[in-house]
Amino acid sequence: MQKTKKEKKRLTPNKTSEDALDLIFNEIKGIIDDDATVNNYQFFLTTIAELLEHVKNTPWPDKASDFIQEFYYPYDEISAVNRYMLFREPYRMYCKMTRAYYVLTNPLGKKVFQQLLEWYPFAEGKQILSTWPDNYLISQFRPTKSGNRVYFEDIRTQKKYPIMVDEKDQENFFSNLPSLFITMLVPAKDGYILDILLANEPFDLISSTIIEQMDKQQWEEYLMHWFRKNLLELVTKLYSSCNDRPTPEFYSAHQLKGETKENFANRLIEQDNSLRRFPQRQLLNEFFVKIIHAFPRLFAAQVNVMPLLEAVKQLFDDIDLNAELQFKDHPTDFWLYLILTTLPEEAAKFKNYRL
């Protein structure tokens, strides 16, 4: 019986995996060759956290799916809040951490880790890198300082871990840390490094009784589920609290005949429950007038203005233009990009406010 292409692909995972590794190795080599200042440890940690994103067409993601799906939300559970940067960006970083967790703890993940380590073009530090699957640490931390050194104190064990930061950056690094956060630490030459930091200051504190009852693996899994649950509840509550009147799915971006730009801007703002309550209404109106003036051809009867309103609301969060913006599937991202690149100074004013 002749096998289908899909069945043949399942029977040849090693060849596919090797091809994928070759592509990844070449990409890594190119980055290293272009930048002599690459930190061996930091770059390797970033690589394993991004590894599964680079091998989407190999058997690895399929084999990793059962493991990862324990930590990811089904898309239909988060589709309503995923358009908000307040949820989307922390959740993206959370998912990135779960992928690194897979590479360091799952038997297949460890095999991939070992292949990557053996190939890694840096000789220095390989012995320390090889200990990561045994010595990584995922926990909730609070930052402390002693002398000129930054430490992360594990709330579960009260142990303090020295963090590798350039001496000239110590003060700025420490001052920008949240008071409580989750991260993955791995050992390096002179301390520990991290690639992802998940702030959880607004969340309820975890009961000390719960913490004491768990071993290391149970604590890690509990902590990741705890973070995603609290993040979803926080953002859902924040945006649903403004829903005392329905927000339309479509509202035409058409300026009425004889309507001034100021009145047009005011009418658009009134369509969103959060924006219409913004206390600095004149500032918001002036900003919308500038957007209307900057992009006149995007305001037409057949254009839905709701993505624009969502984009403006995201200006009240920290915006990362380096994050993947999906213009085709997310018109909000398209508006966000236009605003931040065309009116950056005006947009920056809203970082000092909350909706």
Side-chain angles (χ1 to χ4, degrees):
M1 179 177 173
Q2 190 169 353
K3 293 180 173 56
T4 66
K5 288 184 179 180
K6 189 173 182 180
E7 289 171 327
K8 289 179 180 178
K9 187 176 181 180
R10 288 178 186 159
L11 295 174
T12 57
N14 293 335
K15 178 71 167 61
T16 309
S17 300
E18 289 171 5
D19 291 344
L21 272 180
D22 287 341
L23 291 173
I24 295 169
F25 292 163
N26 289 333
E27 184 176 342
I28 294 171
K29 186 71 163 56
I31 294 173
I32 293 172
D33 290 343
D34 289 341
D35 186 356
T37 66
V38 168
N39 180 297
N40 303 7
Y41 303 98
Q42 196 70 58
F43 189 65
F44 194 73
L45 178 57
T46 302
T47 299
I48 65 170
E50 296 286 1
L51 191 61
L52 292 179
E53 287 295 286
H54 289 279
V55 291
K56 288 180 178 178
N57 296 322
T58 76
W60 292 345
D62 293 338
K63 294 180 180 179
S65 63
D66 291 342
F67 179 94
I68 289 178
Q69 293 310 317
E70 293 180 24
F71 302 102
Y72 281 24
Y73 271 122
Y75 184 75
D76 59 350
E77 290 187 30
I78 61 171
S79 58
V81 297
N82 201 42
R83 53 185 172 168
Y84 302 123
M85 189 71 74
L86 186 63
F87 176 86
R88 188 171 61 188
E89 184 59 18
Y91 184 68
R92 184 178 71 86
M93 299 307 293
Y94 161 83
C95 290
K96 183 178 177 182
M97 191 172 78
T98 64
R99 295 194 295 269
Y101 185 63
Y102 168 81
V103 174
L104 291 175
T105 62
N106 182 269
L108 178 59
K110 288 182 178 181
K111 183 177 179 181
V112 175
F113 175 89
Q114 189 60 39
Q115 288 177 280
L116 187 62
L117 179 63
E118 290 174 1
W119 172 89
Y120 201 51
F122 287 119
E124 181 185 353
K126 277 196 174 183
Q127 192 280 326
I128 295 177
L129 294 173
S130 69
T131 69
W132 283 6
D134 297 320
N135 295 329
Y136 78 90
L137 182 70
I138 291 178
S139 193
Q140 188 179 49
F141 299 90
R142 59 173 63 93
T144 64
K145 276 191 77 176
S146 179
N148 294 322
R149 198 75 192 261
V150 176
Y151 293 83
F152 286 178
E153 181 182 353
D154 186 345
I155 68 158
R156 175 172 170 265
T157 64
Q158 284 75 57
K159 292 182 179 179
K160 295 182 179 180
Y161 297 87
I163 305 303
M164 280 185 60
V165 186
D166 288 343
E167 189 172 342
K168 64 181 186 309
D169 297 328
Q170 291 269 352
E171 192 59 42
N172 185 57
F173 175 76
F174 182 77
S175 63
N176 285 307
L177 288 170
S179 61
L180 201 60
F181 53 85
I182 297 167
T183 192
M184 171 188 282
L185 296 181
V186 288
K189 184 178 180 181
D190 299 311
Y192 288 78
I193 59 170
L194 63 150
D195 185 48
I196 299 156
L197 190 148
L198 305 174
N200 45 256
E201 292 168 309
F203 303 164
D204 292 334
L205 294 176
I206 301 173
S207 165
S208 58
T209 304
I210 292 177
I211 298 173
E212 292 168 357
Q213 292 173 345
M214 297 180 185
D215 61 25
K216 182 176 182 290
Q217 181 179 346
Q218 290 172 329
W219 169 244
E220 291 165 354
E221 294 180 1
Y222 171 85
L223 204 56
M224 287 190 280
H225 283 99
W226 175 85
F227 176 82
R228 71 166 197 173
K229 174 178 178 290
N230 277 273
L231 177 65
L232 179 59
E233 289 180 351
L234 174 70
V235 178
T236 300
K237 182 178 179 181
L238 179 64
Y239 285 100
S240 64
S241 64
C242 298
N243 289 337
D244 58 334
R245 76 175 193 185
T247 298
E249 294 183 6
F250 182 93
Y251 191 82
S252 175
H254 176 57
Q255 185 173 357
L256 303 176
K257 185 176 181 180
E259 187 177 35
T260 66
K261 284 185 171 61
E262 289 74 15
N263 289 338
F264 181 35
N266 186 65
R267 180 165 58 84
L268 297 182
I269 293 169
E270 280 295 312
Q271 303 317 306
D272 185 88
N273 295 320
S274 301
L275 293 176
R276 66 188 177 89
R277 290 196 178 106
F278 183 57
Q280 299 292 329
R281 185 57 176 265
Q282 185 59 34
L283 176 65
L284 191 60
N285 270 57
E286 291 171 358
F287 183 56
F288 266 85
V289 169
K290 290 181 179 180
I291 294 174
I292 295 166
H293 181 75
F295 311 108
R297 294 191 178 185
L298 295 180
F299 291 89
Q302 66 271 31
V303 175
N304 186 7
V305 83
M306 303 315 293
L308 165 62
L309 303 184
E310 290 298 331
V312 171
K313 286 194 291 187
Q314 290 184 16
L315 298 177
F316 293 85
D317 301 326
D318 291 327
I319 304 299
D320 181 8
L321 264 183
N322 294 319
E324 294 182 7
L325 297 177
Q326 302 178 44
F327 300 144
K328 181 180 178 182
D329 298 326
H330 298 282
T332 296
D333 285 355
F334 175 69
W335 270 115
L336 193 59
Y337 177 81
L338 288 180
I339 293 170
L340 290 175
T341 55
T342 307
L343 302 168
E345 294 181 6
E346 292 84 350
K349 295 178 182 178
F350 293 94
K351 290 186 178 180
N352 299 321
Y353 297 96
R354 290 183 62 117
L355 283 178

